[in-house]
Amino acid sequence: GGSSSDTNTTTGASADTSTSAGSDTTATPVGQIRLGAPPEFRNRPTGLPGLRAKYGITDVQFSPLTIGLQYQALDDGKIDVADVFTTDGQLQSGKYVVLTDPRNVFGFQNLTPVVSTRVLDAEGPQFETTINDVSSKLTTEAMQRMNAAVVLDKQQPADVARAFLDANGLLRAGTAGAGKPEITLGTKNFPEQFILGQLYAQALEAQGYRVTLKQNIGSTEIADRALRAGQIDMYPEYIGIFNSTVAGDTRTFATKKEAYDAGKAFAERHGFTLLDLTPFTDTDALAVTRAYAAQHGLRSVGDLASASGQ
Amino acid sequence: MTSANSAQTEGPSPYPSAASLEFQHVGKRYPGAVRAAIEDLSFEVPAGEICVLVGPSGCGKTTAMRLVNRMIDLTAGDILLDGVSVTRRKPAELRREIGYVIQQIGLFPHQTIAQNIATVPKLLGWDKQRTTARVQELLTLVSLDAEMGERYPGELSGGQRQRVGVARALAADPPLMLMDEPFGAIDPINRARLQDELLRLQAEIRKTIVFVTHDIDEAIKMGDRIAIMREGGHLAQYATPDVLLADPADEFVARFVGADRGLKRLTLSAIKDIQLLDGLTARVGEPAAEARERAARHGSDELVLIDGGEQPIGRLPVARLDGKPVAVEDAEPLAATARRQTSLHDALSLVVADGNRPLVVVDDDGRLAGLVDLKLISDALQTRR
Amino acid sequence: MTSANSAQTEGPSPYPSAASLEFQHVGKRYPGAVRAAIEDLSFEVPAGEICVLVGPSGCGKTTAMRLVNRMIDLTAGDILLDGVSVTRRKPAELRREIGYVIQQIGLFPHQTIAQNIATVPKLLGWDKQRTTARVQELLTLVSLDAEMGERYPGELSGGQRQRVGVARALAADPPLMLMDEPFGAIDPINRARLQDELLRLQAEIRKTIVFVTHDIDEAIKMGDRIAIMREGGHLAQYATPDVLLADPADEFVARFVGADRGLKRLTLSAIKDIQLLDGLTARVGEPAAEARERAARHGSDELVLIDGGEQPIGRLPVARLDGKPVAVEDAEPLAATARRQTSLHDALSLVVADGNRPLVVVDDDGRLAGLVDLKLISDALQTRR
Amino acid sequence: MNDFIDAFKFIGDNASLLWHLTLDHLALAGAAMGISLLIAIPLGVWLGHLHRGSFAAINISNIGRALPSLALISIGVALLGIGFVNVMVALIVLAVPPMLTNAYVAIDGVDRDAVEAARGMGMRGSEVLWRVELPLALPLIFAGIRTAVVYVIATATLGSVAGANTLGNVIVDQATYRLPGVIGAAICVAALALVFELLFAGLQRLVTPRGLRSRRRAPAEVGPAVVGTAAAESM
Amino acid sequence: MASGPVIPDFGRGSSCVRDNGLFCWGWVKQNWSDTLQPALLQHILLTAVAVVIGTAIAFTLALAAHRRGWIATPVVLVTGLLYTIPSLALFQLLVPLTGLTRTTAEIALVSYTLLILFRNMLAGLSGVPGEVKDAARGMGMTERQLLWKVELPLALPAVVAGLRIATVTVISLATVAVFVVDEGLGAPIYSALQQTFKTEMIAAGALCVALALLADFLLVLLQRALSPWMRVARA
Ligand SMILES: Nc1ncnc2c1ncn2[C@@H]1O[C@H](COP(=O)(O)OP(=O)(O)OP(=O)(O)O)[C@@H](O)[C@H]1O
Ligand SMILES: Nc1ncnc2c1ncn2[C@@H]1O[C@H](COP(=O)(O)OP(=O)(O)OP(=O)(O)O)[C@@H](O)[C@H]1O
Ligand SMILES: [Mg+2]
Ligand SMILES: [Mg+2]
């Protein structure tokens, strides 16, 4: 599965360092784990309950943080372990180690463009292809790098997207979109979404489609309402969130495919379509500082559990 | 006899318009009030006179006044302005034709003095230069320099504000002025000044003025006629100051005007209003016999010694007249002298202070005009019924 | 002779303490002011007397007063309280021993009348019941009923507040009271009432009082001594009201006390202060000859007819006395009668109003006390230098 | 509309979460208010007693209001890092001005005649302050406190974007709690603010000396004081 | 996968930006025209609209209350209630009714101006001395003339004072509007917060403060210009 390979790549980067770390320092035990995450992490299955169930991590001092502040908190030493997203640009800084999640607590959050089926038909097959071509290039590494460029280097999402599409030959001009109805593309309210919006929009425009981009329309629900209300024709959503929030289906899926199929099924019934998943998954993950990882010899969430004597 | 402030009703007036005012069985009960503030009030103010309403607090003075320009509406009777009922007029229009000065003045703090004065002319839609001309005229009238026009009320003294208040009320040359305790809030010294000023002004403009006060002395000083009111707007007496002081209608009025009403009455007239004693003089150098003989003829035991220029030198007791011709050193110096415009009140004061000896009166050029003695003064009081 | 408000300095006082006050070459220049508000002021107030500071606005009255209790500090000279320099005392302590009434009263709106009055006693740490006792005492003293004690200042009339202000200043029985235009803001009628009240009070408590006003009549009425001040705190004259009116030191004072100072002086004394004419009476039924003979003896052309009860019936012109015994119908009715406590000012008024004929004075029981004529009155003025 | 129904459902279901957040919320507000009181009231009273620094004292409240709470908190994050302390500091900065201004205006505005009389009767500076100025100024001072309390409780909500725990956590995290959650939390915050507003309104009436109750104080007067008093009584 | 993505160099930010320095001028210059300036303009627009509408409403209410006294109490109660609701909450409470639109933002902002403006306008109108009104009537002004020639001019200082407070308040609160519309200076502040990007927080925050202070200052000038007599009265 692409997703597992993705996780490997990330942690692979950290793995070698931690081996070296592990070789010369003997892991010292962690006391109570100071974990920072969005408030709801406390009660949602893909949060503390999951960690407790699958890794037996119980002794946690939990400090709720709004998204975006975890890295600051790690840097300030206010917390030891942060709940992050696997595609966060900050992870590119190399300051942090993402702990692998072999027991799959956090599920799958590969991205799928949600499109109103009606529009999809109107726009013709080329439309779908164009979008899927873009999606297929979006690996975790790529997404992290682009996020980093925007979040850390303050590059404009539009420029970043253009550069990426260009480098991957996705801007080659076409005429497929000529005369096709204009479509409205919405994105949710955080940087990764801005980038995605730009990626799809520019790729489409290159093919001659007329696209209006509505950035930052808000949370999943808002986006979902907007789509049903026809205010937007398409927006990029994460399969896990789609299932839980839009479809209200909170099962944990064994594989990425199961999750995707569940989502697709629901979508069909409600008049929209989920296009291909991206390689990258933007799941929650536990990250620690490189130093902390080295000190306690951490690679996976499991290590964390044992290191904290649990 | 004429009264000291009779100037108000003499000579040609530059202003044509002064209206007569008549209260006809006027009654006013405030909504929700148990008893009427004014029950049945009737009196008439001839055009061009000052009528002072005076009485204890709460007797209905302000009420009566505000009925005239319909700040409040009467509940009985009628009020005629130049024979026309005020109830027939639109309040706003009526008020523009009636000058109104309230105790707290109520200048507009956000407008310059000039703008304040120009209020009613503006309301009446006078054109610009007529208004400005009028404002200048009024400033001089109330003796404020034109420069003041640009100031704001906040920059004026209490007295100056009062004058502006009067000027503003006069702006449209109203035939009737209502003044509710216009000097109530001012200290005695400036108060007297403003009173004199208003009298001087009235001598010029000759308006019909209704003037409210609860100070009887102010009433006596200002009024051609005084309406003494008591609880419930009853008219205790309505008469000229002189009559009021001469014979008060009842106990209430008598107490209100004061035990010294006799002396107060004297403030109403001046030396010039009475016939002076003369002939009681001796010239320096004339034979003693002549002088003594002249004194005897007047049944007086002293003469006034005058010099060649008729200037009084001093008193000459007949006793001092021995054989020699009359000489300067025979005279005793004069304690005080009076002028023709000195009020009889002050004259009496001087006489009494000088042991009841006749008071020497001089003309403006300092020449002897005659003598005043106690008898003349009290006679004045007798004759003035 | 003694003055009408001499009561202030007679009889034993229930309150021991009254301090003498002395200004010694006092000077005060306000910081940043070009000229001194007070340049060189010296005068002395004997213990238990009322000293009135009077003068035009801005002459330094308030300043002089505030120097005493060190609300402001003097820049030259010294002020002695009972011979001790105030500069030697701590201001706060000094002020607790000096009653201070400011024009605006300045009651504490958040405290009841009782609490207001108790302020200084509390500061001095009096015990509870002594304080409450004192408060009751003071409420009666200024004639407010005890019930008032529980009210708040907001619930009192202006006049009542004034009294509370005085009571509060008196609370700790201070030997010295400072009163800055205490009645300045009150209408003439209530003002007179409060003045009389304060005089009555002073007759009891006999404090040393420094009283500021700019109304000369108030000064004359209230003061044992009057300090007339002019610009820059100069003392134009410092004397008893009588002397002040009798011979003003200069033109300024003369103008300030007014042209009718002679008459004003008469307000200072009452009929009881002078020797009345007697013997000028005729009894009903007595032989005409006797009466005529008695009149002739006094060189008078009329007598007062009295009945058996010594009650005056009327005037009896000698001319009316024919052969028959004196009869009631011979008498002319009396225009007016006076009582012993009538002031000479009012007496003169009555005499003059009655054509200078002698005024009949009766005792409280209505029996003839004697007669007052012009001569007696003006003699009173002569003798009082 | 049924969003609101869901909102109340949410409140019911998450009572304990909301309750804990409420406690955190109040802890934050309380801490900020406590410190602000210690700074603002003494300073304002002292300045007012001396009748000094009126310009500063009166205009500070407007400047204080000019500081956007969100901006302040974010700048706080930049300078102090995230969390309780930063937000508390921000809240203090916001709470001090209105209280300071009111305290100043209140004391400075005490009837000069009363103060004059007090001095004249031999009260020392401190006695004048305690026996006359403070009692008379108390209602207005309290108006300032009330203003600040409500303001702080309201603004604490934003604390959650800077890592402090408040009811705002729910409001700013729609992703998790969905719209009903957000609205539910909003309702709670509004209620909380209102409760305290009323509470302090009551207290204010309590501390008003009886002698003053009859004469009601105009909310704002023309003149420079307006900015002060109005400022004080608003927000 | 054979065709793994080619990842180009996206270009790096200045070192200051990369390690999130306190304040990076370079970034501000770079992003002025496409981030800060538009946000600033939007902010000004948001504020202006809110204040203008608020003034209109408050004015109408104030006039009504001035004529019929009883109106004042209910109005103060309602506007006071709106005022007490924390901005973050109010914005969210409106979402179900008016959605995530500019309208929502404006409604909330306007509702915050009402209390201040209404109270100051009314205070201004009822602050006109009785004797002045009496004199005006006595000189034959109609009620309408009295209102326009006397009462309103005299109320102006109080009104403008209210305007100052309202404007500054709105400028501050408009930042919170970001939770409903991605407009105004709140947007850069909030996104910076999410990325804990100090420069942007400080820059946007400072802009907001500056805007508020400037607006306040301009209104003071207006106040001066509109009430020349106040100066002399104070002098
Ligand atoms: N607006 C009003 N409503 C009810 N009663 C009133 C009103 N104005 C005056 N009164 C009552 O009418 C009576 C007369 O009042 P008015 O003001 O005319 O007396 P005044 O002679 O002017 O008293 P002052 O000398 O104190 O001005 C008083 O008893 C007063 O209480
Ligand atoms: N605090 C002050 N600072 C500077 N100058 C002052 C001060 N108080 C009074 N003056 C000046 O000192 C002089 C005397 O003032 P003071 O108040 O003693 O006069 P006053 O006789 O009490 O006047 P009024 O009768 O109006 O009360 C005046 O010229 C006044 O301007
Ligand atoms: Mg009246
Ligand atoms: Mg004075």
Side-chain angles (χ1 to χ4, degrees), chain D residues 22-57:
Chain D
T22 306
L23 294 184
D24 297 341
H25 197 113
L26 291 180
L28 179 61
M33 272 309 292
I35 299 177
S36 312
L37 276 168
L38 292 181
I39 301 170
I41 301 301
L43 185 59
V45 167
W46 182 64
L47 287 175
H49 180 62
L50 302 178
H51 304 293
R52 294 253 178 77
S54 62
F55 182 83

Side-chain angles (χ1 to χ4, degrees), chain C residues 165-183:
Chain C
V166 175
R168 185 175 65 171
L170 283 169
D173 187 19
L176 174 64
M177 296 270 289
L178 306 177
M179 312 180 86
D180 193 350
E181 305 196 25
F183 310 139

Side-chain angles (χ1 to χ4, degrees), chain E residues 154-219:
Chain E
L154 281 176
L156 256 179
V159 174
V160 180
L163 217 51
R164 283 175 66 184
I165 302 169
T167 309
V168 171
T169 308
V170 170
I171 290 178
S172 158
L173 291 178
T175 54
V176 183
V178 70
F179 291 98
V180 282
V181 278
D182 178 39
E183 282 188 12
L185 288 163
I189 292 178
Y190 191 49
S191 73
L193 257 173
Q194 286 182 319
Q195 305 166 22
T196 56
F197 176 36
K198 296 177 180 169
T199 302
E200 194 173 8
M201 293 180 195
I202 293 179
L207 268 181
C208 198
V209 176
L211 178 62
L213 293 180
L214 177 69
D216 189 46
F217 174 70
L218 291 179
L219 283 168

Side-chain angles (χ1 to χ4, degrees), chain B residues 61-63 103 180-181 212:
Chain B
K61 304 183 292 295
T62 300
T63 303
Q103 174 164 345
D180 193 349
E181 306 194 27
V212 164

Side-chain angles (χ1 to χ4, degrees), chain E residues 63-98:
Chain E
L63 285 192
H66 184 52
R67 288 238 178 292
R68 318 208 180 308
W70 62 267
I71 297 180
T73 322
V75 172
V76 166
L77 279 180
V78 174
T79 54
L81 180 100
L82 288 173
Y83 200 95
T84 313
I85 300 176
S87 45
L88 195 52
L90 183 53
F91 283 119
Q92 296 303 346
L93 291 176
L94 286 168
V95 168
L97 312 175
T98 49

Side-chain angles (χ1 to χ4, degrees), chain B residues 25-98:
Chain B
H25 303 288
V26 170
K28 171 65 181 179
R29 159 175 278 111
Y30 284 100
V34 278
R35 56 192 301 283
I38 294 182
E39 269 155 28
D40 178 352
L41 182 60
S42 301
F43 65 92
E44 185 167 0
V45 186
E49 288 200 0
I50 296 184
C51 163
V52 176
L53 305 185
V54 65
S57 189
C59 69
K61 304 183 292 295
T62 300
T63 303
M65 169 164 287
R66 291 165 68 84
L67 286 170
V68 174
N69 62 353
R70 300 193 55 190
M71 296 296 282
I72 51 181
D73 277 319
L74 34 69
T75 49
D78 198 357
I79 297 179
L80 306 185
L81 191 58
D82 255 350
V84 182
S85 166
V86 293
T87 58
R88 294 236 211 83
R89 312 287 314 280
K90 283 214 190 64
E93 282 174 11
L94 177 70
R95 292 176 195 150
R96 291 173 194 179
E97 295 169 17
I98 298 179

Side-chain angles (χ1 to χ4, degrees), chain A residues 23-194:
Chain A
S23 58
D24 45 38
T25 68
T26 54
T28 59
V30 185
Q32 188 189 37
I33 301 169
R34 297 182 302 147
L35 186 147
E40 79 282 7
F41 192 87
R42 194 190 265 129
N43 347 41
R44 73 169 185 221
T46 61
L48 287 184
L51 291 175
R52 195 181 301 111
K54 298 202 171 155
Y55 294 98
I57 297 178
T58 50
D59 185 13
V60 172
Q61 183 202 332
F62 181 78
S63 49
L65 292 174
T66 33
I67 302 154
L69 296 179
Q70 317 93 315
Y71 295 100
Q72 175 94 29
L74 273 179
D75 299 345
D76 299 354
K78 283 192 158 59
I79 55 176
D80 309 321
V81 183
D83 168 44
V84 301
F85 293 114
T86 46
T87 55
D88 285 345
Q90 285 87 343
L91 297 174
Q92 280 288 319
S93 70
K95 284 191 287 181
Y96 316 101
V97 175
V98 174
L99 304 179
T100 53
D101 173 25
R103 301 187 192 161
N104 208 340
V105 169
F106 296 120
F108 310 96
Q109 295 293 7
N110 304 64
L111 182 110
T112 168
V114 186
V115 195
S116 130
T117 315
R118 184 180 41 75
V119 174
L120 196 58
D121 303 343
E123 299 292 340
Q126 269 302 320
F127 181 79
E128 182 165 358
T129 330
T130 313
I131 293 175
N132 288 342
D133 290 350
V134 175
S135 302
S136 67
K137 298 291 182 191
L138 300 179
T139 63
T140 302
E141 174 69 4
M143 209 58 238
Q144 271 188 3
R145 291 279 298 279
M146 287 191 273
N147 279 332
V150 170
V151 174
L152 299 181
D153 292 296
K154 308 301 169 195
Q155 306 300 320
Q156 293 301 322
D159 307 341
V160 173
R162 185 174 306 101
F164 181 82
L165 294 173
D166 198 24
N168 293 279
L170 295 168
L171 283 182
R172 267 184 246 97
T175 56
K180 293 286 193 312
E182 175 169 7
I183 71 145
T184 309
L185 173 53
T187 71
K188 298 200 278 180
N189 52 1
F190 48 92
E192 185 169 272
Q193 285 274 320
F194 303 156

